[in-house]
């Protein structure tokens, strides 16, 4: 599983050079392979413009990223029964690494998550 983590983290980091393109690609990938676990907020009239924020729920962890002017603000929350017990701000690299690690852990427990992880690695 460590190899899967390294591959996923590398793939996501490779896309992170251009923040605007990265965010669009990341949101698209996550929404496609994890549709039931991803919430996307779009800006603009009627929410038809580029993604503004994304939240990924994996078990009791919720990963949130929001596009800001020239960066992406990232945080990870531990949520139990709808209550955030812990919230931490992460830089983009740490957010990608933590999300990747949790996706790999989830894939070890779930066929559906394993399929989603494979989808992220193939894109």
């Amino acid at each position: 599983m460590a190899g899967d983590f390294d591959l996923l983290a590398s793939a996501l980091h490779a896309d992170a050079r251009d923040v605007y393109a990265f965010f669009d690609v990341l949101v698209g990938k996550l929404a496609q392979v994890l549709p039931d676990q991803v919430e996307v907020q779009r800006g603009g009239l009627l929410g038809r413009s580029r993604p503004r924020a994304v939240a990924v729920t994996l078990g009791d962890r919720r990963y949130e990223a929001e596009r800001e002017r020239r960066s992406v603000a990232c945080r990870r929350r531990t949520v139990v029964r709808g209550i955030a017990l812990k919230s931490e701000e992460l830089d983009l690299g740490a957010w990608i690494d933590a999300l990747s690690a949790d996706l790999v852990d989830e894939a070890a427990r779930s066929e559906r998550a394993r399929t989603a992880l494979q989808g992220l690695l193939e894109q």
Side-chain angles (χ1 to χ4, degrees):
M1 281 299 170
D4 288 341
F5 166 75
D6 292 338
L7 282 172
L8 180 58
S10 294
L12 293 177
H13 278 289
D15 291 335
R17 290 186 194 101
D18 173 0
V19 172
Y20 285 108
F22 158 75
F23 196 75
D24 292 346
V25 169
L26 175 69
V27 170
K29 285 181 179 181
L30 291 172
Q32 182 178 6
V33 300
L34 298 166
D36 297 336
Q37 294 163 283
V38 172
E39 297 172 31
V40 178
Q41 294 178 358
R42 297 185 180 277
L45 210 55
L46 303 173
R48 292 188 179 161
S49 67
R50 299 174 91 167
R52 186 174 49 85
V54 65
V56 181
T57 303
L58 297 171
D60 64 351
R61 295 250 172 101
R62 182 173 170 92
Y63 289 88
E64 301 168 348
E66 185 171 358
R67 185 193 318 251
E68 294 185 340
R69 292 178 190 229
R70 290 195 172 108
S71 64
V72 177
C74 303
R75 72 193 61 76
R76 175 177 57 188
R77 299 180 196 270
T78 302
V79 179
V80 177
R81 293 186 210 124
I83 299 171
L85 300 178
K86 180 179 179 183
S87 181
E88 57 189 312
E89 302 292 321
L90 300 171
D91 67 34
L92 183 57
W95 188 86
I96 290 171
D97 289 344
L99 175 62
S100 298
D102 277 354
L103 280 168
V104 170
D105 288 347
E106 187 77 15
R109 294 187 297 271
S110 159
E111 179 64 32
R112 185 173 185 183
R114 196 170 13 265
T115 302
L117 176 62
Q118 190 64 33
L120 280 173
L121 292 172
E122 291 174 355
Q123 291 185 3

